Amino acid sequence: MGDKAASVGCPAIGVTYEGGDPALLERLVEVADYLEVAPDFIATGTGDDLRIRREILGEWQAAAEEVEIVAHGVGLSIGSASGWNEAYLRLVDELAGAVPLRWHSEHLGYTTVDGEPLGTMLSLPRTEEALDLVCERVIRLQERYPVRFLLENIARMLPDPDGDYDEAGFLNELCKRTGCGLVLDVYNLECDAHNHGLDIDRFLGALELGAVHELHVAGGTEVGGMKLDVHSRRAQPSTVALAARAVAATPAVWGVTYEVLPEAVPVLGHDVIVDEVTRLRAALS
Amino acid sequence: MSGQAARLAAQQQALLALLKGRPVPAGDDSYLDLVRDSRGLTMLQMITAWWRRFDLERLAPLTSRALTHEGRFESALTRLGRDADTPAAISALAMHFLDQHVEDTDPLIAAVASTERALTLVARGDRSPHEVRWDRDPAPVLNALLAGHPPGPAAPGDFRVTVSADRPTLIAVERRGDLANSTSGVRRIIR
């Protein structure tokens, strides 16, 4: 399938696709090994009455005959003290029942408080109580789905509260207690380094890299002196270089995903997205 | 809820209040003071407002533009950002926004929002016909909004807009006793 023949020795290369754009899909399956779908982005309805759009589900079923599929959610809100989003899990149930999934992943953060949307995603304090909460939920997810579950590091926008762990220590303990894997978003690491002074080398040196099964690469923007995780641009050379370093150091990584928001697709254009996937494969081979 | 989970819950509730610009319960929490004064909080508030504007301009363009021309879109966005019942899902946000304006005190805004709500429902697969009463000719208003222009003068009268998936043009305009031209240009906003 197209450029995929050149992928020996390279992790699988994936890209975001949210459906409804057959011309883009036709080109992506030629250059990508897998597609990433956010169940909440392909849903319709309101509140608890969310369903995956029929026509999109059919598109994914057809795509699954050519490439692998990973589900990567946004709306689970695994870190909400008041409870996670059951409606989101029903979407995953629906998707997993219709399309074979390589795995299911989510962000290590929260998007609702007492059922009210924040309008954004916030990171958790790295405390024992937050760890207990997330671990209990990860175990329930692993019991619910037969595929592996991964959690992703998110970019932190607010100041860091006092905690019981450093960045790597929290993730290490989470994986140790639950056996879950990690999605390492290297662009988010760059955001944290820029915005809060995260020492990426030290972080990678302390992280149990055997738990990392997927990397995310994206391009964002800088506003008001802050680097923002908006997935709206080409990946910067520094981000691709960091991904290459992480791949070299990570024994169990299976895939590297170029993430782009559906809203950015018309702005970037199909050519740029296909080019980013191809460029990523070349850089990681 | 255990004492530990209650502490996490209290912190999340306080951060929600800060994000939404609501009063935060008084307490001796230096972390919340740090957040309150942070550029990250300002940035998050700006980003969420920007996304809300972007989504509504994309998914409810007629009503967004009509409110903009009336000088009321900013206050509508502020209200959405403040209200606890504003949905997070984009598709739900657009319908919530339209629902808020179908009974607007301004008859023009109410008619535009009702028409756009009907178009959105039909675009989502609703097969039932929807009728909206207008107190002026809707065609020049809708076409001006579609072109991004202010809704100019329109002939007053008793008009009825019908939106139905069974109509070849999806939308038809009828004046009492007089079937006017279908505004086929409105099809462009159907997604």
Side-chain angles (χ1 to χ4, degrees):
Chain A
M1 275 187 266
D3 294 337
K4 287 193 234 182
S7 65
V8 176
C10 175
I13 303 295
V15 61
T16 315
Y17 177 70
E18 302 300 349
D21 191 344
L24 178 60
L25 177 60
E26 188 178 345
R27 297 188 64 186
L28 292 182
V29 298
E30 287 295 316
V31 295
D33 303 298
Y34 66 98
L35 300 176
E36 174 194 276
V37 57
D40 16 21
F41 280 17
I42 58 172
T44 185
T46 58
D48 290 337
D49 187 29
L50 287 175
R51 300 276 300 174
I52 292 180
R53 283 149 49 203
R54 295 288 102 196
E55 70 280 13
I56 299 290
L57 202 54
E59 197 178 1
W60 279 101
Q61 287 170 319
E65 294 180 6
E66 299 191 59
V67 290
E68 293 205 69
I69 310 293
V70 301
H72 181 57
V74 176
L76 174 60
S77 202
I78 196 168
S80 287
S82 54
W84 64 13
N85 182 354
E86 282 288 347
Y88 168 79
L89 286 179
R90 287 195 290 277
L91 291 178
V92 179
D93 293 343
E94 197 179 355
L95 184 65
V99 177
L101 299 177
R102 173 90 188 188
W103 51 55
H104 169 219
S105 60
E106 247 292 349
H107 299 82
L108 182 53
Y110 61 103
T111 57
T112 62
V113 175
D114 295 332
E116 180 177 347
L118 288 163
T120 186
M121 184 180 291
L122 294 181
S123 54
L124 285 166
R126 295 185 299 276
T127 58
E128 283 295 344
E129 54 264 40
L131 188 61
D132 287 345
L133 180 88
V134 174
C135 284
E136 186 267 333
R137 291 176 179 172
V138 168
I139 289 167
R140 282 163 60 194
L141 285 169
Q142 289 171 329
E143 291 168 351
R144 182 166 176 152
Y145 300 107
V147 295
R148 185 186 285 274
F149 179 68
L150 313 179
L151 276 170
E152 177 189 339
N153 61 302
I154 67 172
R156 186 161 54 80
M157 290 295 289
L158 296 179
D160 207 8
D162 290 337
D164 302 313
Y165 297 91
D166 63 14
E167 288 89 347
F170 190 82
L171 296 173
N172 289 343
E173 191 64 20
L174 171 62
C175 295
K176 180 180 160 191
R177 288 191 197 178
T178 66
C180 82
L182 295 176
V183 175
L184 187 63
D185 189 315
V186 294
Y187 180 68
N188 287 350
L189 293 181
E190 289 191 307
C191 289
D192 282 353
H194 181 91
N195 298 333
H196 301 289
L198 174 73
D199 184 332
I200 295 176
D201 288 334
R202 187 172 173 185
F203 169 81
L204 290 176
L207 188 66
E208 297 287 347
L209 291 169
V212 176
H213 297 289
E214 185 181 345
L215 301 181
H216 282 177
V217 171
T221 188
E222 193 176 322
V223 178
M226 292 195 82
K227 195 183 274 279
L228 305 181
D229 173 32
V230 288
H231 299 180
S232 58
R233 309 270 175 97
R234 285 180 182 267
Q236 290 294 305
S238 65
T239 311
V240 176
L242 180 55
R245 278 174 52 206
V247 164
T250 307
V253 68
W254 171 77
V256 180
T257 313
Y258 170 61
E259 288 194 305
V260 59
L261 279 174
E263 291 85 350
V265 171
V267 179
L268 288 174
H270 294 181
D271 288 346
V272 167
I273 295 167
V274 169
D275 187 55
E276 284 295 276
V277 174
T278 306
R279 183 169 74 105
L280 202 51
R281 189 184 300 281
L284 301 179
S285 293
Chain B
M1 189 182 289
S2 72
Q4 288 186 333
R7 281 199 291 277
L8 183 63
Q11 184 185 80
Q12 293 184 348
Q13 287 161 349
L15 292 177
L16 171 70
L18 284 173
L19 267 172
K20 303 271 180 167
R22 300 175 194 150
V24 177
D28 182 21
D29 192 329
S30 57
Y31 173 65
L32 295 181
D33 292 337
L34 196 62
V35 172
R36 191 180 283 110
D37 296 334
S38 69
R39 61 178 178 166
L41 178 68
T42 305
M43 195 59 61
L44 280 176
Q45 290 169 326
M46 201 175 81
I47 293 167
T48 52
W50 184 88
W51 273 114
R52 204 172 291 121
R53 174 192 301 276
F54 178 82
D55 289 334
L56 291 178
E57 288 178 344
R58 191 166 54 97
L59 295 176
L62 298 175
T63 307
S64 298
R65 289 171 191 172
L67 283 167
T68 298
H69 294 306
E70 297 284 333
R72 294 176 47 203
F73 190 45
E74 293 303 320
S75 60
L77 288 171
T78 301
R79 177 182 167 190
L80 287 168
R82 187 192 58 221
D83 289 353
D85 62 347
T86 299
I90 294 169
S91 59
L93 172 67
M95 192 54 73
H96 180 82
F97 169 70
L98 293 171
D99 285 343
Q100 285 184 331
H101 293 287
V102 294
E103 293 184 7
D104 199 281
T105 52
D106 181 333
L108 176 66
I109 298 295
V112 170
S114 299
T115 303
E116 188 156 45
R117 185 179 185 281
L119 287 163
T120 304
L121 287 170
V122 169
R124 292 180 183 181
D126 187 351
R127 302 296 301 179
S128 56
H130 300 266
E131 290 187 0
V132 181
R133 298 293 290 268
W134 283 66
D135 66 358
R136 69 200 77 181
D137 185 354
V141 174
L142 295 174
N143 286 325
L145 290 172
L146 280 169
H149 301 140
D158 185 8
F159 288 82
R160 184 176 65 184
V161 167
T162 304
V163 180
S164 169
D166 295 331
R167 288 183 179 271
T169 55
L170 293 181
I171 183 167
V173 180
E174 187 181 7
R175 189 170 191 167
R176 185 183 295 269
D178 169 32
L179 190 63
N181 292 331
S182 296
T183 51
S184 57
V186 178
R187 282 177 72 89
R188 292 191 310 175
I189 68 165
I190 297 290
R191 287 165 296 274

